[in-house]
Amino acid sequence: MITILFGPPGSGKGTQAQVISKRFGLPHVSTGQMLRDEVGAGSEVGREAEPIMKSGGLISDDLMVRIIEHRLGQPDAQHGVLLDGFPRTVPQAHELDEMLERTGREIGVVLFFDVPEEELKKRIERRSEIDHRADDTPEAYVQRRREYEEKSAPVIGYYEDRGTRIEYVNGNAPIDTVTESILTIFGGQLPARGVA
Ligand code: AMP
């Protein structure tokens, strides 16, 4: 079963994915983290991605789809994954559906993290002091936010049209409270676990 964590930058997807991943023993697949690892390793993908990430832009759909296809083909991904940061555009969502259909898997639920913009800004400011991520600068944040509005937000409409299950999570709450609301959505266990 594929669970998608979806929401604007700073909405807490990554934090919750980590908690849920531990709880259910499911891989946390963060495309942002995968890319940061590539940048750290100085690979070809990393060298291509670094300036784009730094400016707050999005990596090409082609490259992202290739990366995710490879990751979902790994043995540990066969019983489902928590997808954090993918899909981020409608073409990515469409490609993901096709990919899953080819391998007989499906999306169990899309968790949409709802957080007011003022709070998002504050969180990114705080995170920039702790993590020193290259894209947590005020300029990059503005660009990431713009990309989100223009290219990522329409993904929810795509899933609505497809009839994919979407659950809205109030992300403007303490970490434990958000986790609790996600567990309530899951009813204590991941829906259709193992069916992928
Ligand atoms: P994140 O850690 O999810 O905030 O991602 C950090 C950065 O990685 C984003 O601002 C993009 O530059 C890049 N990135 C991560 N996932 C994707 C994706 N699915 N499509 C395009 N770019 C991505």
Side-chain angles (χ1 to χ4, degrees):
M1 198 296 292
I2 308 285
T3 300
I4 293 177
L5 293 95
F6 186 88
S11 58
K13 307 181 293 284
T15 303
Q16 293 301 325
Q18 275 175 20
V19 178
I20 306 284
S21 158
K22 272 206 198 114
R23 172 112 184 195
F24 292 101
L26 278 179
H28 170 198
V29 175
S30 156
T31 43
Q33 191 54 49
M34 288 165 86
L35 290 166
R36 283 188 287 279
D37 291 345
E38 295 286 341
V39 171
S43 70
E44 201 182 317
V45 166
R47 284 198 301 274
E48 187 183 327
E50 188 174 18
I52 303 170
M53 291 171 78
K54 204 171 171 183
S55 71
L58 291 183
I59 309 304
S60 77
D61 289 337
D62 271 6
L63 178 57
M64 293 317 300
V65 168
R66 265 188 283 138
I67 288 177
I68 219 68
E69 187 154 28
H70 180 258
R71 183 65 188 88
L72 294 184
Q74 302 291 303
D76 70 332
Q78 301 318 306
H79 293 294
V81 298
L82 300 168
L83 269 187
D84 161 19
F86 187 97
R88 238 182 174 96
T89 65
V90 171
Q92 288 180 15
H94 181 67
E95 289 288 334
L96 177 65
D97 274 339
E98 301 224 312
M99 201 186 296
L100 295 178
E101 215 172 291
R102 281 199 297 276
T103 51
R105 295 187 268 189
E106 60 182 31
I107 296 164
V109 62
V110 178
L111 299 176
F112 178 84
F113 285 68
D114 204 9
V115 181
E117 193 176 351
E118 272 315 299
E119 173 65 18
L120 293 172
K121 265 196 216 145
K122 273 193 245 158
R123 288 186 187 183
I124 297 280
E125 267 169 36
R126 272 201 305 266
R127 189 168 71 183
S128 70
E129 287 161 16
I130 302 166
D131 285 352
H132 304 293
R133 261 176 62 163
D135 59 355
D136 277 342
T137 59
E139 299 77 23
Y141 173 72
V142 168
Q143 184 59 20
R144 286 162 73 204
R145 179 76 206 175
R146 192 175 298 146
E147 295 279 44
Y148 174 78
E149 296 295 345
E150 282 175 15
K151 298 182 187 148
S152 305
V155 169
I156 284 296
Y158 169 87
Y159 284 128
E160 273 169 4
D161 291 348
R162 296 269 306 184
T164 305
R165 181 179 171 205
I166 303 170
E167 294 287 348
Y168 292 83
V169 176
N170 174 14
N172 193 20
I175 293 174
D176 289 352
T177 311
V178 179
T179 305
E180 280 309 314
S181 57
I182 295 173
L183 293 178
T184 304
I185 290 168
F186 288 160
Q189 58 180 29
L190 284 174
R193 199 188 157 177
V195 190

